[in-house]
Amino acid sequence: MEYQWYPGHMSKAKREIKDSLKLVDVIIELIDARIPYSSKNPDIDELAANKPRVLLLNKADMADDKRTAEFKEYYEKKGYFVLVTNARNGNLKPVMNVVREACKEKIERDKARGMINRPIRAMILGIPNVGKSTFINSYAKKACTKTGDKPGVTTGKQWIRLSKELELLDTPGILWPKFEDKAVGLHIAMIGSINENLLDSNELALKLLEFLVKEYPGAVNARYGVEEKEDSLQLLYDICFKKACMKKGGEPDTDRMAFTVTDDFRGGRFGKISLEKVSDYIKRED
Ligand code: G4P
């Protein structure tokens, strides 16, 4: 499988993010709870050195709760302030609590200097499609006042005041995942965050079926009423027959069914499923 790589966009985005980061007290990084490892960009570590880091395991409504809890604990041990979220139902209070906790030192420092009630400034970062705009919109809708440019300090930057305590840069920082790692590219494709034409959709569906049968036994049977088997091509044929998904000549229409399988997965119709678990990654990262 081939993955596209965007070094030009990447370096420009990275430069912009680096500049914006000088203006903020805290970084709020969104990752996809179904693929926490693959959706977490390692460049942020280098870009964000020394800033407090809040990590949101977003889209948790579609992820496996047990695996999400394990990742939460794992990242907390690494020093992140972690929250499990569904950006579509944004509730600002828990986010605010975590951000306040992450910025404890800054708040103390401000207090010592007599600066009381100076809002915390944050920037949202993440790879495409993790829910950055949804996050900003859902909180901004509740409490939006654009604070406008602050001459001399933040020229050209728009801030959104979410509460008297928190301001967000209104443009999130977009970073690309590490596509050079094939497993990462595959997981990103499975959840549908990159243009699916980059990958053979049949191969993607076969890999999904193989994964589901192995890691979530019963899920494929519950969805399509077929007997689960390791041979995912045969399984795809079985699903075609079961669902009468045939071409005109009576052949199973595997292309159409592959699309349906992938779409069902992305739509959460196999249940709450995570493609990654902490134990797969501990050795690779540490
Ligand atoms: P981005 O700015 O990081 O690129 O992501 P964006 O907010 O555009 O979100 C991408 C998609 O993910 C959107 O769906 C959005 O509604 C959905 N999404 C964001 N956060 C969550 C979440 O916590 N849970 C779930 N289930 N979905 C989430 P879309 O299909 O592209 O658009 P729409 O359905 O909202 O119209």
Side-chain angles (χ1 to χ4, degrees):
M1 288 190 198
E2 287 295 317
Y3 305 103
Q4 210 150 322
W5 178 237
Y6 302 91
H9 292 189
M10 266 278 295
S11 44
K12 184 163 176 276
K14 269 168 82 169
R15 264 198 315 276
E16 283 172 8
I17 290 169
K18 210 166 183 171
D19 285 345
S20 298
L21 284 180
K22 293 180 190 141
L23 309 171
V24 302
D25 304 303
V26 59
I27 288 155
I28 302 178
E29 182 186 355
L30 268 79
I31 58 178
D32 190 310
R34 296 167 297 170
I35 53 164
Y37 175 82
S38 297
S39 58
K40 193 167 178 314
N41 185 291
D43 294 331
I44 300 180
D45 292 330
E46 162 210 329
L47 289 167
N50 304 325
K51 296 268 179 191
R53 304 273 297 274
V54 171
L55 197 59
L56 303 185
L57 282 157
N58 194 41
K59 303 201 185 184
D61 53 307
M62 297 208 276
D64 177 329
D65 291 328
K66 185 167 169 281
R67 292 187 179 193
T68 303
E70 285 167 3
F71 268 108
K72 180 173 188 287
E73 193 187 338
Y74 172 67
Y75 285 121
E76 277 170 350
K77 281 199 184 126
K78 285 181 158 254
Y80 293 90
F81 297 84
V82 189
L83 196 65
V84 173
T85 56
N86 169 0
R88 280 176 164 168
N89 298 327
N91 176 2
L92 190 57
K93 210 170 159 196
V95 177
M96 212 39 244
N97 289 342
V98 172
V99 167
R100 213 179 284 131
E101 175 74 20
C103 295
K104 223 173 178 168
E105 279 180 26
K106 173 213 137 35
I107 295 168
E108 295 295 320
R109 237 184 3 253
D110 281 356
K111 246 191 212 157
R113 290 181 191 149
M115 294 192 281
I116 296 175
N117 294 338
R118 196 165 75 88
I120 295 166
R121 290 199 172 152
M123 181 176 189
I124 308 289
L125 284 183
I127 66 163
N129 223 34
V130 286
K132 297 179 296 298
S133 322
T134 310
F135 177 87
I136 292 175
N137 291 337
S138 94
Y139 294 106
K141 226 181 271 158
K142 293 193 178 81
C144 182
T145 40
K146 289 221 173 189
T147 59
D149 291 356
K150 298 200 170 157
V153 193
T154 61
T155 316
K157 302 281 178 201
Q158 285 283 336
W159 296 85
I160 301 171
R161 174 165 291 206
L162 292 192
S163 71
K164 61 180 189 324
E165 277 182 276
L166 181 64
E167 290 181 2
L168 282 188
L169 257 186
D170 78 341
T171 339
I174 303 165
L175 286 167
W176 293 95
K178 35 182 176 176
F179 282 133
E180 70 274 20
D181 180 333
K182 296 231 158 169
V184 167
L186 180 65
H187 285 176
I188 301 264
M190 282 173 165
I191 64 161
S193 276
I194 51 169
N195 183 344
E196 52 196 293
N197 298 333
L198 296 180
L199 289 166
D200 179 305
S201 63
N202 278 12
E203 196 172 341
L204 200 58
L206 292 178
K207 290 217 181 282
L208 267 173
L209 287 173
E210 190 184 312
F211 168 84
L212 289 168
V213 167
K214 186 162 160 261
E215 300 273 337
Y216 290 90
V220 173
N221 172 269
R223 179 80 197 145
Y224 303 120
V226 290
E227 191 191 323
E228 296 185 355
K229 49 187 60 149
E230 275 179 28
D231 181 344
S232 49
L233 184 57
Q234 187 56 52
L235 186 55
L236 187 64
Y237 278 121
D238 293 353
I239 300 170
C240 285
F241 283 113
K242 185 82 185 180
K243 295 286 157 196
C245 181
M246 313 301 272
K247 290 185 198 160
K248 276 205 181 105
E251 284 273 296
D253 192 344
T254 47
D255 288 350
R256 190 148 62 88
M257 203 63 226
F259 177 84
T260 303
V261 168
T262 309
D263 194 56
D264 281 349
F265 176 74
R266 291 174 182 169
R269 289 183 285 278
F270 288 104
K272 293 182 70 155
I273 286 173
S274 295
L275 293 173
E276 299 176 352
K277 54 179 187 282
V278 169
S279 56
D280 294 339
Y281 295 98
I282 276 181
K283 283 190 203 80
R284 295 168 65 170
E285 263 202 347
D286 293 339

